[in-house]
Amino acid sequence: MEIEINLAEPEKRKAPQFEELAFGKIFTPHMFVMKYEADKGWHSPKIQPLSHIELHPAAIVLHYAQTVFEGLKAYYGVDGKIRFFRIWDHIARLNRSADRLCIPQVEPEFTFKAIKTLVSIDRDWIPKKKGAALYIRPLIFATQANLGLKVSCEYLFVIILSPVGAYYKEGFNPVKIYVTTEYIRACPGGTGEVKTGGNYAASLKAQDLAHKMGYTQVLWLDAKEQKYVEEVGSMNIFFYFESELVTPSLTGSILPGITRDSVLKLAPKLGIPVKERKISIDEVIESIEKGTLKECFGTGTAAVISPVGEIHYKGRSYLINEGKIGEITKMLFDYITGIQYGEKEDLFNWTVLLED
Ligand SMILES: Cc1ncc(COP(=O)(O)O)c(C=O)c1O
């Protein structure tokens, strides 16, 4: 399929000087859109000036949340080359999410071409500072006007781009997380392992509460027993107990994070043994009390690796590593960001250049 391209006015295309970049607040001047209709399939792909989208008030997505999304980044390397990080894995996850939500899948090669073309058009908007990047947000949602609960016959696939800085105001500094025992994020058989809006809507109440208490994000426990650690609001979680790095196994209610997978593959290469297993919140608290939990960090595309300096559980706050960044955390952060910015050897061929 050919992508029709309609460029924005030249003055709208000029990138501003990026000073303090927040996360997801500014957008590049172009967007990709493509329609789906049951009898035509995906059709009419376009890159056009960024604009609002017109939706019928009965659009299925607005009522029943039939929607999926992804989040990946393009980095401006130290060598002036632009790299995507694990783009094929993000596209594959978009399709797995789509399948779970009964949304028609998109052709991976074509999706790659759409992202590449869009990023290439807005390439001046990729921040050149290390730590900043171009965040790419593909999303697909149900547009058919129908108040009956059913699978939509029509969809829109949109890709927007946002130059971003650090995800947390703390930057690469320890964040504080709040363990909720009141709310759950996802349960077995639900949609926790895919990226769909409803998961995030359901997490807002607990997140709001955590924010009001001065915590950055919520740490979710399993839905059945409220006993095992699952993940953080938008990150997977790792604990470094004495000499072993561990992360909760994928149970079906945890998002299989691509940064999580990167740590699992990279850690052994850096001499750090790593394991996926069940981790109870009691084990975490006891290890903090005994001094055997040395480090804790979250992983995600937005923050890459985020040290956790404090955990709040059942009315008490526990400091981890005296609230400081740990050695293992720093080593993994440096290595992964090193690959993303073209400074370190890409041992697993995770990056794809915008231009070969
Ligand atoms: C719920 C949740 N867990 C974990 C992650 C981390 O996943 P990734 O490393 O693929 O960005 C994200 C972010 O996408 C998320 O939304």
Side-chain angles (χ1 to χ4, degrees):
M1 259 186 301
E2 274 309 300
I3 304 173
E4 185 188 318
I5 296 175
N6 171 17
L7 296 180
E9 303 287 317
E11 71 275 11
K12 294 223 169 101
R13 298 182 58 187
K14 271 195 219 124
Q17 286 292 322
F18 300 119
E19 301 292 341
E20 283 290 292
L21 271 174
F23 188 86
K25 304 242 192 253
I26 59 168
F27 302 93
T28 70
H30 296 96
M31 67 200 279
F32 168 87
V33 285
M34 178 165 72
K35 283 186 180 162
Y36 178 94
E37 285 161 285
D39 54 341
K40 291 190 188 154
W42 287 111
H43 67 92
S44 314
K46 289 189 181 98
I47 288 178
Q48 61 189 48
L50 181 77
S51 69
H52 289 192
I53 287 166
E54 207 169 89
L55 272 184
H56 191 286
I60 287 176
V61 64
L62 299 178
H63 304 264
Y64 310 123
Q66 198 192 358
T67 174
V68 294
F69 67 97
E70 258 310 314
L72 66 151
K73 282 177 174 171
Y75 301 83
Y76 189 91
V78 289
D79 50 3
K81 291 183 178 161
I82 295 156
R83 288 175 175 79
F84 297 107
F85 187 69
R86 303 196 65 172
I87 188 166
W88 293 107
D89 297 293
H90 283 280
I91 294 173
R93 190 171 63 187
L94 179 68
N95 273 333
R96 286 203 306 277
S97 301
D99 180 59
R100 178 64 180 82
L101 272 288
C102 296
I103 291 174
Q105 304 208 351
V106 288
E107 213 273 297
E109 290 285 345
F110 178 78
T111 303
F112 176 54
K113 176 171 128 177
I115 294 174
K116 235 172 137 171
T117 313
L118 184 64
V119 169
S120 187
I121 288 173
D122 282 342
R123 60 189 303 144
D124 291 348
W125 290 69
I126 307 176
K128 296 196 170 71
K129 212 167 90 187
K130 193 164 175 202
L134 186 71
Y135 186 79
I136 303 162
R137 169 56 62 92
L139 67 153
I140 311 176
F141 51 91
T143 51
Q144 189 190 354
N146 191 313
L147 290 181
L149 176 60
K150 68 179 262 308
V151 172
S152 180
C153 296
E154 293 163 17
Y155 299 86
L156 203 62
F157 178 20
V158 175
I159 307 171
I160 52 173
L161 308 174
S162 172
V164 295
Y167 186 62
Y168 300 119
K169 66 173 177 8
E170 291 89 342
F172 183 63
N173 278 309
V175 295
K176 293 159 62 172
I177 55 176
Y178 181 90
V179 184
T180 179
T181 46
E182 200 178 344
Y183 300 101
I184 54 155
R185 189 192 92 95
C187 59
T191 55
E193 66 179 346
V194 298
K195 278 184 88 76
T196 182
N199 292 341
Y200 299 84
S203 75
L204 289 175
K205 189 86 181 165
Q207 186 181 300
D208 191 44
L209 207 87
H211 279 175
K212 285 186 178 136
M213 291 180 65
Y215 290 85
T216 319
Q217 282 219 355
V218 171
L219 176 62
W220 299 97
L221 301 178
D222 76 285
K224 243 180 172 167
E225 298 180 75
Q226 289 270 286
K227 185 172 171 190
Y228 296 101
V229 171
E230 297 234 305
E231 61 181 317
V232 188
S234 57
M235 299 191 294
N236 296 108
I237 187 123
F238 284 78
F239 300 94
Y240 187 58
F241 295 114
E242 301 207 276
S243 57
E244 185 193 46
L245 185 62
V246 294
T247 191
S249 0
L250 299 176
T251 52
S253 51
I254 298 176
L255 189 84
I258 288 162
T259 323
R260 173 189 181 277
D261 184 68
S262 306
V263 168
L264 288 174
K265 296 207 163 85
L266 197 58
K269 295 269 178 206
L270 302 179
I272 309 160
V274 62
K275 214 188 246 168
E276 298 172 79
R277 65 165 168 86
K278 278 187 158 186
I279 304 160
S280 73
I281 186 66
D282 290 342
E283 178 185 358
V284 172
I285 300 300
E286 279 165 29
S287 308
I288 297 176
E289 286 176 330
K290 279 197 293 196
T292 51
L293 175 65
K294 302 297 182 194
E295 300 181 31
C296 174
F297 59 86
T299 60
T301 297
V304 189
I305 301 252
S306 187
V308 175
E310 189 181 319
I311 290 189
H312 182 102
Y313 179 57
K314 289 194 173 163
R316 272 193 66 186
S317 284
Y318 301 84
L319 268 190
I320 301 171
N321 194 28
E322 296 167 351
K324 297 194 211 113
I325 302 169
E327 234 175 85
I328 301 289
T329 308
K330 175 88 171 67
M331 196 198 296
L332 288 161
F333 175 82
D334 286 345
Y335 213 100
I336 295 180
T337 53
I339 293 173
Q340 292 168 337
Y341 291 93
E343 294 169 310
K344 290 241 181 340
E345 190 193 348
D346 183 1
L347 296 170
F348 299 93
N349 292 322
W350 283 332
T351 58
V352 175
L353 292 174
L354 176 66
E355 274 139 13
D356 293 319

